[in-house]
Amino acid sequence: MQNSAQTQQRRTFEPGAEYREVDDRIWVDLRAGEIAVTSKTQIDETFIKRKSENKAGEVFEFYAQPYHHITGYVTALKWKSQTFENGGVKTGWNVMIDAVGQKYGLFVASNDRPYHYFMNCLLNVDFDVPVFFRGYTDEYKGKKQKALLISQEKNEENKPIWLQPKHPERWMSLMLREIIRNGDPIPENEKRNVEFKEDGVTADNAYPYVLQKQDQKWSFDAWDDFLITKMKEEVIPAIERANEIRGIAAREEEGMNTDIAPEDRPPAAPAGAYADDDIPF
């Protein structure tokens, strides 16, 4: 963690959330692409009709009030698991965010593309400083892909400096395992996927690889366990320490976290908007 003098020198973000006007992108929460308050019904004109599709091909319609970003102090990271009547299960992390004037819960599902990248970047967060969350969709190889980026500092052009993953994601294919087993030279394009010991010898299976199974499918189990353990052992304790420090600072400087004028505060979730537990997909 950085001390207060170091923090003041950085171009950090102010807590808050920015409403996104309608355009040709999908500005919804991360279960369908972006960050938003969602509802089964159109509460007002700011709620846009959207669709999402699960792995079974079922299509669900809902309404989303979109946000360009949410910025605030991360106050908790909680694991969520929910089973639905149809037998479907939803798991992932709830990120609790204090935007100073409004509190948010941002759900990052374990079956979403940003899931591993998000946890890996979260390991580089300084929880004493507000965190800028930016969700969006883009096209990759003809398909829409979700993204969730994290920033805590701006560059000289006032643009976010995106946090990068702390640990490299390594993929151990059946072919690569065969090469290592035989002691054959490792192709240049595969060296980034291999963990080496200090003496240059490959450390087979010493790293939590994404492993290719005999049926050619990929198993993320070891990588999942590794990152979840990091959340429990490093990230959650760091959040709790930052909460303690901020609590002490708030008592020493009364009103420190409530100095945003009412007209500048992010809007509260409208009455009737569904909590995460009420979303049926």
Side-chain angles (χ1 to χ4, degrees):
M1 292 185 182
Q2 302 191 15
N3 60 40
S4 57
Q6 290 174 314
T7 299
Q8 288 173 2
Q9 293 173 0
R10 299 164 62 183
R11 298 170 181 263
T12 55
F13 293 88
E14 290 296 324
E18 179 184 327
Y19 174 71
R20 180 84 185 186
E21 295 294 338
V22 179
D23 61 13
D24 58 354
R25 286 178 178 263
I26 304 175
W27 299 104
V28 293
D29 71 15
L30 287 174
R31 70 186 163 87
E34 319 309 329
I35 295 174
V37 176
T38 55
S39 172
K40 289 180 180 178
T41 60
Q42 187 173 27
I43 296 171
D44 59 41
E45 68 278 359
T46 66
F47 278 74
I48 308 156
K49 194 171 186 178
R50 295 300 186 203
K51 295 180 181 180
S52 69
E53 183 176 342
N54 63 19
K55 290 184 177 180
E58 298 173 297
V59 177
F60 301 89
E61 291 188 348
F62 61 100
Y63 292 88
Q65 183 191 51
Y67 288 87
H68 178 273
H69 65 261
I70 292 177
T71 306
Y73 295 98
V74 175
T75 58
L77 182 69
K78 300 179 180 180
W79 182 253
K80 177 186 178 65
S81 180
Q82 183 179 2
T83 302
F84 301 106
E85 292 181 359
N86 62 3
V89 178
K90 178 175 67 174
T91 59
W93 292 106
N94 264 334
V95 189
M96 311 311 292
I97 305 165
D98 180 3
V100 186
Q102 179 65 42
K103 294 181 179 179
Y104 295 89
L106 173 62
F107 180 66
V108 183
S110 59
N111 61 350
D112 274 348
R113 177 170 285 273
Y115 174 70
H116 295 105
Y117 189 87
F118 160 77
M119 285 193 288
N120 213 344
C121 290
L122 208 60
L123 285 163
N124 282 325
V125 168
D126 172 7
F127 292 103
D128 293 334
V129 178
V131 185
F132 178 94
F133 294 93
R134 173 78 166 91
Y136 68 95
T137 54
D138 208 345
E139 251 190 39
Y140 178 71
K141 295 184 177 179
K143 293 183 178 180
K144 282 187 176 178
Q145 303 287 4
K146 305 173 189 177
L148 176 61
L149 302 181
I150 301 172
S151 179
Q152 293 193 280
E153 195 169 359
K154 304 172 189 176
N155 61 20
E156 292 181 355
E157 297 177 351
N158 225 32
K159 294 181 179 180
I161 300 172
W162 302 115
L163 288 179
Q164 298 301 306
K166 184 172 183 178
H167 299 281
E169 190 176 62
R170 292 192 168 101
W171 296 66
M172 183 65 74
S173 65
L174 292 171
M175 177 197 72
L176 186 53
R177 274 187 276 177
E178 184 69 18
I179 289 172
I180 293 173
R181 196 160 36 243
N182 295 337
D184 296 332
I186 297 172
E188 284 297 323
N189 66 330
E190 290 283 5
K191 285 185 176 179
R192 64 184 176 84
N193 285 321
V194 179
E195 177 80 352
F196 293 96
K197 297 179 182 177
E198 289 184 5
D199 57 5
V201 178
T202 58
D204 191 13
N205 293 329
Y207 193 87
Y209 293 103
V210 178
L211 291 171
Q212 188 178 30
K213 300 182 292 184
Q214 292 298 323
D215 61 2
Q216 308 297 315
K217 294 181 179 179
W218 293 93
S219 170
F220 290 83
D221 291 350
W223 186 234
D224 279 341
D225 290 345
F226 173 76
L227 290 174
I228 289 173
T229 299
K230 289 291 184 182
M231 297 300 102
K232 293 178 179 179
E233 294 181 352
E234 297 182 22
V235 170
I236 292 174
I239 293 171
E240 291 172 349
R241 286 194 298 271
N243 285 341
E244 291 177 8
I245 293 171
R246 210 162 39 249
I248 293 170
R251 286 195 294 273
E252 290 175 349
E253 187 179 341
E254 187 177 353
M256 183 183 74
N257 289 338
T258 57
D259 57 358
I260 295 179
E263 62 270 18
D264 294 329
R265 292 176 186 172
Y274 280 76
D276 186 55
D277 287 347
D278 296 326
I279 299 172
F281 47 96

